[in-house]
Amino acid sequence: METPEVLSASARTLHTLPEDQPDLAAMRKWVGSLLGDLPEDVRLDVLLVCTELASNSYEHATGPRAVRVRRYVDHIRVEVDDHTPASLPQLGESRLGNSRGRGLMLIAAISRCWGTREMVGGKTVWAEVAA
């Protein structure tokens, strides 16, 4: 049985990302508004995960893109959808060169778990941060 969500039914949990230019500041403001009552260290970890996953969706995938934040009693789940199903991320690997590919390693270090889910016409990359 899944842990019940803490966010009220009226809280917005989906943020559609712009098609061509990332507006990560707006996304971070939106996420911060959802999690304002959490301890600062948890909130900052969630914001970092959101930023990394959204940035990766612009660097490695095509749109449309969306970010979902789901708040549970013991963790926050961040999901980023894109429309490039064949390009699943690999920890520590980047097609952009040897100086890249550390974002997922960072996500793996601060999240309790992370993964991918293929869907028709795209994928979701997700991570969970302990609350």
Side-chain angles (χ1 to χ4, degrees):
M1 186 168 163
E2 207 166 82
T3 309
E5 291 187 14
V6 175
L7 287 173
S8 69
S10 63
R12 184 173 176 210
T13 60
L14 176 72
H15 181 78
T16 302
L17 295 169
E19 186 63 35
D20 49 352
Q21 289 290 332
D23 188 353
L24 299 177
M27 180 203 62
R28 289 173 63 88
K29 182 177 179 181
W30 170 75
V31 172
S33 72
L34 293 174
L35 308 175
D37 62 326
L38 288 176
E40 183 180 20
D41 60 332
V42 173
R43 194 172 58 252
L44 291 174
D45 284 350
V46 172
L47 290 172
L48 179 59
V49 167
C50 286
T51 301
E52 285 296 325
L53 292 180
S55 295
N56 283 351
S57 75
Y58 281 95
E59 296 230 12
H60 303 287
T62 60
R65 300 167 186 88
V67 175
R68 271 186 309 285
V69 176
R70 293 183 177 160
R71 184 172 173 178
Y72 298 92
V73 172
D74 62 342
H75 69 280
I76 311 300
R77 184 177 174 104
V78 176
E79 301 177 340
V80 175
D81 299 335
D82 65 51
H83 282 77
T84 307
S87 181
L88 296 177
Q90 300 294 316
L91 191 62
E93 295 180 14
S94 175
R95 64 177 175 74
L96 301 175
N98 291 337
S99 65
R100 306 294 300 273
R102 291 172 182 72
L104 280 179
M105 291 173 30
L106 184 60
I107 289 169
I110 64 174
S111 301
R112 68 182 204 170
C113 56
W114 74 276
T116 60
R117 182 178 63 243
E118 290 185 79
M119 60 183 175
V120 175
K123 68 178 173 297
T124 301
V125 183
W126 58 269
E128 294 178 355
V129 176

